Amino acid sequence: MMLAANMFIGPAIDWFKVSPFLFMLGGVLLLILAGSLTPQWKSGAYGIVGALTAAGSAVCTAMLWRDLGDGKPTSLLANSLSFSKFSLFATFSIAIATLLAILVASGFLVREGEDGPEVFALILSASIGGMVMVQANDLIVMFLGLETLSLAFYLLTASSRGRSASGEAGLKYFVLGGFASAFFLYGVALVFGASGSTNIEKIAASLSKDMVLGGTSSMLLAGIALLLVGFGFKVSLVPFHTWTADVYQGAPTPITALMGSVGKTAAFVALFRVFTVALSSRSDDWRPVVVVLAVLTLVVGSVLAVVQTDVKRMLAYSSISHAGFILVGLVAAGHSASEDAGLGTSGALSYLFIYSVLVVGTLGIVSIVAGKGDNETALSAFKGLGKSNPVLAMGMTVLLLAQAGVPLTSGFVAKFGIIRAAVSTGSYALAVVAMLAAVIAAFLYLRIMVSMWLAESTTSRDVAATFSVKAAVAVCVGVTLVLGFFPSLLLQFTNQL
Amino acid sequence: MSIPILTLLVLVPLAGAIAVSFLANTNESLVKNVALVSSIATGLLTVWMLVKFPTGSAGFEFVSKHAWVSEWGISWHLGVDGISLFLVVLTGILFPLVIIGIDPHHDHKQYLVWMLVLEAGVMGSFLSLDLFLFFVFFEIVLVPMYFLIGKWGYDQRVYAATKFFIYTMAGSAFMLVGIVATAFLARRDIGHLSFDLIEIANKSHFATGTGRWLFVAFVIAFAVKVPLFPLHTWLPDAHTQAPTGGSVILAGVLLKMGTYGLLRFGVYLFPEAAVWAKPILLTLAVIGIIYGAIAATMQKDLKRLVAYSSVAHLGFIVLGTFALTNQAITGGVMQMVNHGISTGALFLMVGMIYERRHTRAIAELKGIQAVAPIFAGFFTLVMLSSIGLPGLNGFVGEFLVLIGSFTTARWWVIAATTGVILAALYLLWAYQRVFHGEPDEANKSFAEITKREAMLLSVFVAAIVFTGVYPKPMLNRIEPSVKSLLEHVESHSNYKQPEIKAGE
C-alpha cells in the first residue's frame, strides 16, 4: 500500500472512549504547566490534583464499562487500541491503584519536604503508559505504552534526592530495564516477521492459518521467547527478577507501591493479551516454558523472601512469588481447548486488582513506619508497633494475612480464583506447588507480624502519618476485608471478562 | 425452624469479638463481661439446640442455606447431625468455662477478642456443609490460635506458634486444591459447579483413581490437624507453649476438627478411597497410639506428657473411624467428645499447678497430695477417665472403638490394646511422682484448690461421671447418623460391614 501525505486520512476518534487517557493527560499537563508557572502551592495541593485526576479517570472507565453492557469488544483509533471489558477492567485497576498510590505519595512528599508537581505528573504519566499497554491492540502501541511507563518509573525511582540509594536504584533499573525493552522490541520484530503484522488480532489470525499449513517457524519461536523475556523482566519472573529487590528497596516507598501495583498490572495484562490472544494458537509451544517459569518464580520468590531482613526487600520477593501465582493463571488460560480457559484470565485480573490494593496498603504502612528520611524499613523497625500503634499494626496484620491468602480476606479470593483456574484445566501439580509456595511465603508475613505484636520494642519512635496516607491505607484495608467477606462484589465484574 | 440457630452460633461469638474490640482497654471488667455474655449465650444456644435435636434423626437438622458467592457455586450452608452435635455442644460449653476460669495475665482485651474469634471459627468448622465454607473456617481458626500461642504462651511461644501455623497451613494447601478439584470433577455429575457437601456426596461418581487422589489431598490436611503420626511434631510444641486456655481449647476442640473432618469429608465424600486407605490409616493410628504412649512415658514436663497422651488418644479415634463399623465409629465420635473433656481438664489442672509452682517439670513436683488433697482428688478422677476406667467417660468411647474394630481390624486392635495399658502406665507413674511422697520445701506451700477452680472442675467432673455411667442419651443421638454414614459408604463402594448377630 502506498502512503502519500495527501492520502492520509486521520482515524475517526470516539473521544469519550479515550477519556480515561485524556483525563490523565490533562492532569499531567495541568501539573507541569500550572505547577511550573505558579509559585509553590499549598501543602498537599499537588497531590489532590493528581488524586482527582486518577479518580476522574476511574469514573470515566466505570461509565464506559456500563455503556459497553453486553456489547462486543471493538477497537479504537484505527484498530490500535482494543475496547473490551478486559481492557476496561485493567484500566480501572490501574486508575484505582494510581489514586491510592498518589494519596500515599502525597503524604510522603509533604513529610519529606519535597512536595512538588513533578512526582505526581510522572506518576500520572506512568499510569497513562500502563493504560496504553493494557488497551493496546498493536505490539508497537504496546511498546509505546511500555516505554512511557518505564521511563516514568526510572525517574520516579531516582526521585528521592536526599537518599543515595534512590539514585542508585534508578540507574540500575534504567540499565536493566533498557535491556528488557530491547528484548521486547526484538521479539516484536521477529513475531512481525513470522506473521506479517504487529496487530494482535491479525497476528492471531495469521498464525492460526499457518498452523494448518505447517508447524511453528523458528523465527516465531525466537520471537515468543524474546517477548517472554521482555515481559518476564517487567513483571519480575525468576530468572529475570534480580533487579526487583534492589529497586523496590531503593525507590521511595510510595513509588515501590506504584511499581508493585500499576507496573505489575500493566505488564501482566499486556502479557496475557499477547500470549492468550496473539499467540494463542501456539500455546502448546509456550505453555511448558511458562509452567517452568511459574514454578521457579513461586519457589524462588517465596524462599528468598523468607531470608530477608528488610521489609521492603521482603515485599519485593513476595511480589515475585505473587507474580508466580498470576503466571499459573496464564498457564490455565493457555489451555485454549478447555472450556474453562477463561477462568485463568479472569482469575489473574482479579488477582491483579486485589494485589494492587494490598501492595499499596502494605507499602503505605511501611512508608509511615519508615519515618522521615524513608530509611527505617528494617524488620526491627516494626518491633513493638502493636503496642505503640495498635490500629496501624492491625491494618498491617490484615493486609499481611491477605497476602498470605488467609480466608475472609481478599487475598484468599485472589488465590482461590487462580487455584480454581489451574484445577479446572487439570494442572493439579502446579496448583499444589503454588499453594505450598504460598505457605512458605506465609512464614515471611508471620515474621513481620511477630515483629509487630510479639517482640518488645527496643527504641520508642513515634510514627506520625498524614491524613492522605491514613485514608489510603484505610481504604486498602477496608477493600481487603469487604472483598474477603463478599467476593461477589468483585467477581460479578471479573466473571464477565 | 424459624430461628437460624446455627448461624447464630457462629455470629454471636463473632459479634462478641467485635464488641469487645471496640471497648476501652482500661475497663477490664466490662471487657470480660461482654466476652462472657456472648460466649455464655453461645453455650446456651448449643444446649437449646441439643434439647431440640430430634433423637433418632440421621440427617442434618436446623439446616440454614443461603447463597454466598453465587458466581462460584458457594453457599452459606450449615447443618448439624449426630456426628457434629456433641462437638458443637462441647465447643459451646468449653469456651465460656475457659473464659471464666483462666486468667491470661496480660492484654485481657486482645486475648478475649481472639478467643471469641476462635470460637466462631471452630463452630463454623463443625457446622459447615459447604466445602468452601468449611475451608474458610478451618483455615481462619489458625489466626486466633497463632496469636493466642504467640502472645500469651511460654518461653518458646513464637517458635511454637509459627510451627503450628505453617504445619497446618501446609496441610490445608493440599486440601484447598482437593476441594476445588472435587467441585470441578463433580460438576459433570451434578450439572453445575457446586461446593455443597451433600450434593457432591450423593450425586458424584469419581473414578476410582481420582477419588483416591482427592481423598489423599483431604487426609493430609486432617492428618496434620489430628495429628496423625508422623505429622504430629507440631503438637507437643504448640501444647507446651500455649497458655492454659489455648491448650484446653486446642486439645478440647481444635484437634477434633481433624478427626471430624476425616469422617465428614474423607469417608463421606470418598467412601471407596476410605475403604482402600483403611490399612495404612489404621496402621498410622496404631503407631500413633503406641508411639504417643511411649513418648508420654518419657516426658519430663507434665504438660508435654499430656500433649503426647493426646496423640495416643486421637489414634484411637482414627482407629475407630477407619475400622468402618457402626460401633467403632460411634465410639470414635464419643471419644472425640470425651477426650475433649478429660484432656481439657488435665490441661486445666496442669495450668493450675504451673500457676502455683511456676514449673511443670515432674522432677520438681512432689507430694502434692499431702498438701492439696482435694486437688489431688480431682486430678485422680480426671486421670482415671483419661486412662479409661469403666464407669467414667473415657471407657465408653475406647471400649466401643476396640470392640467395634475387632471384627474388621483384628490385628490392629490387638496392637492398640497395649496402648490402653501404656496409658495407665504413664499417667499413674506421673501421678505417683507428682502427688505421692512427702512434699519437699518448695511443694509444702502448694495451695489447695480455690472455690472458683473447684467449681470449674466440677463441671468437667460432672460430665465425666454422667457420660461414664449413662452414655445412652449420647449414643442414641450419635448412632443414627453413623449408621446412615456407613450405609452411604456401603452403597458407594463394595464394602460390607460384617454382620454381628446377637448372642454370637
Side-chain angles (χ1 to χ4, degrees):
Chain A
M1 186 170 62
M2 234 176 63
L3 266 181
N6 58 353
M7 286 175 67
F8 183 80
I9 301 159
I13 300 177
D14 190 341
W15 291 105
F16 183 52
K17 287 188 174 164
V18 291
S19 57
F21 300 98
L22 296 179
F23 239 101
M24 290 288 199
L25 200 59
V28 173
L29 292 175
L30 178 70
L31 281 167
I32 289 190
L33 288 177
S36 57
L37 294 177
T38 52
Q40 179 79 17
W41 296 0
K42 252 181 68 184
S43 162
Y46 298 113
I48 292 172
V49 172
L52 286 176
T53 309
S57 185
V59 169
C60 288
T61 315
M63 279 155 69
L64 287 171
W65 172 286
R66 197 197 55 199
D67 289 353
L68 186 60
D70 294 323
K72 282 236 164 3
T74 50
S75 62
L76 305 173
L77 297 176
N79 212 9
S80 65
L81 294 181
S82 79
F83 185 76
S84 61
K85 294 209 153 162
F86 178 80
S87 66
L88 283 175
F89 184 82
T91 308
F92 183 74
S93 300
I94 289 180
I96 293 293
T98 309
L99 169 64
L100 292 169
I102 285 179
L103 289 176
V104 175
S106 172
F108 175 84
L109 290 174
V110 168
R111 186 188 69 197
E112 301 294 311
E114 293 177 2
D115 199 18
E118 305 88 355
V119 168
F120 299 108
L122 284 168
I123 290 178
L124 293 175
S125 313
S127 302
I128 296 175
M131 288 179 175
V132 171
M133 279 178 85
V134 300
Q135 297 210 11
N137 204 23
D138 190 293
L139 292 178
I140 297 295
V141 176
M142 192 177 278
F143 181 72
L144 290 178
L146 179 69
E147 281 304 278
T148 313
L149 175 86
S150 303
L151 286 172
F153 272 168
Y154 304 146
L155 286 171
L156 284 168
T157 305
S159 67
S160 189
R161 277 155 286 180
R163 279 166 63 235
S164 60
S166 169
E168 185 191 322
L171 188 66
K172 208 175 261 178
Y173 193 20
F174 175 66
V175 173
L176 291 173
F179 266 112
S181 298
F183 272 105
F184 179 82
L185 204 52
Y186 201 179
V188 172
L190 290 180
V191 170
F192 174 72
S195 66
S197 174
T198 56
N199 183 287
I200 287 178
E201 275 146 20
K202 285 186 188 149
I203 294 173
S206 153
L207 290 184
S208 58
K209 205 166 61 200
D210 274 5
M211 202 67 180
V212 187
L213 297 175
T216 306
S217 71
S218 47
M219 192 201 288
L220 181 61
L221 287 180
I224 294 175
L226 291 171
L227 283 177
L228 202 53
V229 173
F231 279 124
F233 178 87
K234 289 293 168 195
V235 300
S236 49
L237 303 178
V238 176
F240 316 111
H241 68 286
T242 44
W243 61 277
T244 317
D246 288 342
V247 173
Y248 269 48
Q249 188 186 15
T253 309
I255 303 309
T256 313
L258 191 74
M259 264 187 253
S261 54
V262 171
K264 205 148 245 186
T265 307
F268 251 119
V269 171
L271 171 67
F272 265 79
R273 206 154 145 72
V274 172
F275 278 76
T276 62
V277 179
L279 302 172
S280 67
S281 57
R282 297 300 188 274
S283 63
D284 287 340
D285 290 320
W286 57 255
R287 215 177 46 235
V289 183
V290 175
V291 170
V292 173
L293 285 178
V295 171
L296 277 178
T297 309
L298 281 164
V299 174
V300 174
S302 324
V303 170
L304 289 185
V306 167
V307 298
Q308 303 301 319
T309 53
D310 183 281
V311 172
K312 270 165 93 179
R313 284 186 89 83
M314 286 179 169
L315 293 172
Y317 281 107
S318 100
S319 87
I320 295 173
S321 168
H322 284 292
F325 235 98
I326 300 167
L327 212 56
V328 172
L330 181 62
V331 175
H335 282 267
S336 39
S338 162
E339 53 171 324
D340 293 319
L343 298 186
T345 310
S346 65
L349 256 79
S350 317
Y351 202 113
L352 284 165
F353 177 81
I354 288 168
Y355 179 67
S356 294
V357 174
L358 287 179
V359 81
V360 176
T362 315
L363 283 161
I365 293 178
V366 172
S367 87
I368 296 173
V369 175
K372 193 164 163 58
D374 202 21
N375 282 322
E376 301 284 337
T377 56
L379 187 56
S380 55
F382 284 76
K383 273 191 185 164
L385 193 68
K387 206 148 231 154
S388 65
N389 207 330
V391 177
L392 198 63
M394 204 58 228
M396 186 72 166
T397 305
V398 169
L399 294 168
L400 290 174
L401 287 174
Q403 292 212 39
V406 170
L408 301 184
T409 63
S410 60
F412 178 65
V413 177
K415 289 218 156 71
F416 189 81
I418 294 288
I419 293 298
R420 169 174 173 262
V423 166
S424 69
T425 51
S427 312
Y428 302 112
L430 193 57
V432 169
V433 170
M435 282 311 293
L436 289 179
V439 175
I440 301 174
F443 183 66
L444 136 92
Y445 306 119
L446 287 184
R447 278 185 70 196
I448 304 179
M449 285 195 274
V450 166
S451 198
M452 289 191 306
W453 293 104
L454 310 177
E456 289 302 317
S457 169
T458 39
T459 53
S460 71
R461 290 183 314 118
D462 52 61
V463 286
T466 49
F467 173 74
S468 70
V469 184
K470 279 195 244 173
V473 168
V475 169
C476 293
V477 173
V479 169
T480 302
L481 287 175
V482 168
L483 287 185
F485 279 90
F486 307 103
S488 299
L489 293 177
L490 177 67
L491 297 178
Q492 56 177 314
F493 298 114
T494 54
N495 261 21
Q496 302 174 22
L497 299 176
Chain B
M1 184 55 56
S2 53
I3 305 166
I5 178 162
L6 301 187
T7 305
L8 283 179
L9 285 180
V10 179
L11 293 185
V12 169
L14 195 65
I18 294 169
V20 170
S21 65
F22 280 109
L23 291 176
N25 232 338
T26 44
N27 199 341
E28 219 166 80
S29 64
L30 179 66
V31 163
K32 192 158 185 179
N33 285 338
V34 172
L36 260 182
V37 165
S38 82
S39 68
I40 289 177
T42 317
L44 290 178
L45 279 172
T46 61
V47 172
W48 189 59
M49 179 193 75
L50 179 64
V51 173
K52 287 268 176 184
F53 188 87
T55 315
S57 152
F60 291 100
E61 299 292 333
F62 311 110
V63 174
S64 82
K65 188 172 182 181
H66 306 278
W68 182 27
V69 190
S70 46
E71 287 84 358
W72 283 349
I74 294 164
S75 52
W76 175 268
H77 189 182
L78 303 178
V80 65
D81 71 348
I83 295 174
S84 53
L85 177 67
F86 288 97
L87 292 170
V88 173
V89 176
L90 177 68
T91 310
I93 293 175
L94 211 50
F95 270 91
L97 289 180
V98 165
I99 290 175
I100 298 170
I102 301 165
D103 181 18
H105 294 299
H106 59 95
D107 297 291
H108 289 73
K109 188 181 119 177
Q110 275 185 39
Y111 175 86
L112 291 171
V113 170
W114 288 129
M115 266 294 170
L116 291 170
V117 172
L118 185 63
E119 179 168 16
V122 173
M123 282 289 182
S125 306
F126 287 138
L127 294 172
S128 298
L129 296 181
D130 182 285
L131 296 181
F132 182 92
L133 190 64
F134 172 74
F135 184 84
V136 166
F137 285 121
F138 189 78
E139 190 90 337
I140 203 74
V141 162
L142 297 184
V143 179
M145 202 62 215
Y146 171 78
F147 280 104
L148 284 174
I149 299 176
K151 187 143 185 153
W152 289 270
Y154 300 104
D155 305 336
Q156 296 284 310
R157 56 184 183 269
V158 173
Y159 168 78
T162 309
K163 193 170 177 181
F164 162 76
F165 196 99
I166 298 288
Y167 250 79
T168 322
M169 202 177 174
S172 315
F174 290 94
M175 184 164 69
L176 181 65
V177 176
I179 285 177
V180 180
T182 304
F184 268 93
L185 291 168
R187 184 172 58 170
R188 238 176 327 151
D189 301 318
I190 299 176
H192 58 97
L193 186 64
S194 164
F195 285 85
D196 194 289
L197 173 72
I198 302 168
E199 204 166 17
I200 293 177
N202 288 327
K203 291 190 190 160
S204 65
H205 305 281
F206 299 111
T208 310
T210 318
R212 290 175 182 176
W213 275 110
L214 295 174
F215 178 74
V216 169
F218 278 83
V219 164
I220 291 174
F222 297 135
V224 171
K225 199 84 179 183
V226 170
L228 207 55
F229 181 89
L231 300 171
H232 64 281
T233 57
W234 64 269
L235 179 89
D237 286 315
H239 261 319
T240 317
Q241 300 306 328
T244 304
S247 293
V248 173
I249 297 297
L250 192 59
V253 288
L254 235 60
L255 302 183
K256 308 310 178 307
M257 284 163 52
T259 47
Y260 167 79
L262 283 173
L263 264 182
R264 174 72 84 229
F265 298 91
V267 176
Y268 184 48
L269 278 180
F270 311 105
E272 196 281 335
V275 176
W276 161 77
K278 202 176 110 176
I280 177 91
L281 285 165
L282 288 176
T283 308
L284 291 178
V286 171
I287 293 177
I289 294 172
I290 297 172
Y291 169 83
I294 293 175
T297 318
M298 301 301 153
Q299 294 310 313
K300 297 187 174 77
D301 181 319
L302 200 54
K303 207 170 178 191
R304 240 182 142 77
L305 184 149
V306 182
Y308 273 108
S309 84
S310 277
V311 176
H313 279 124
L314 285 149
F316 275 105
I317 302 174
V318 178
L319 174 69
T321 303
F322 285 97
L324 295 175
T325 64
N326 284 337
Q327 269 177 320
I329 297 183
T330 308
V333 176
M334 281 291 282
Q335 181 75 349
M336 285 188 215
V337 181
N338 290 335
H339 172 262
I341 300 169
S342 318
T343 310
L346 275 180
F347 274 120
L348 201 62
M349 282 186 286
V350 173
M352 290 173 187
I353 294 177
Y354 185 84
E355 291 286 297
R356 291 166 166 77
R357 292 279 289 104
H358 295 283
T359 178
R360 296 183 307 257
I362 296 174
E364 291 185 34
L365 300 164
K366 201 166 181 253
I368 290 175
Q369 195 171 19
V371 283
I374 304 178
F375 182 76
F378 274 115
F379 198 96
T380 312
L381 195 89
V382 174
M383 175 189 71
L384 289 175
S385 117
S386 187
I387 292 172
L389 189 79
L392 300 178
N393 67 344
F395 174 73
V396 184
E398 223 165 78
F399 183 71
L400 277 174
V401 167
L402 290 175
I403 205 167
S405 310
F406 194 72
T407 47
T408 53
R410 184 161 305 166
W411 293 106
W412 286 285
V413 171
I414 291 171
T417 319
T418 58
V420 182
I421 301 162
L422 286 170
L425 174 71
Y426 61 76
L427 278 172
L428 289 175
W429 191 35
Y431 184 83
Q432 185 195 350
R433 284 178 289 170
V434 172
F435 285 89
H436 286 179
E438 278 303 310
D440 54 20
E441 210 42 56
N443 288 309
K444 261 213 174 90
S445 54
F446 192 92
E448 180 56 292
I449 193 164
T450 64
K451 219 177 245 168
R452 196 172 79 149
E453 288 169 340
M455 266 154 61
L456 193 63
L457 283 175
S458 307
V459 181
F460 287 90
V461 167
I464 285 172
V465 175
F466 180 81
T467 327
V469 176
Y470 188 49
K472 202 161 176 291
M474 252 178 102
L475 291 174
N476 281 347
R477 287 171 175 77
I478 296 173
E479 234 171 353
S481 296
V482 170
K483 222 166 153 185
S484 103
L485 173 69
L486 274 170
E487 275 160 17
H488 176 86
V489 171
E490 287 177 345
S491 66
H492 285 76
S493 68
N494 44 24
Y495 171 79
K496 283 277 168 286
Q497 51 169 317
E499 277 180 53
I500 303 162
K501 294 189 190 76
E504 207 175 2

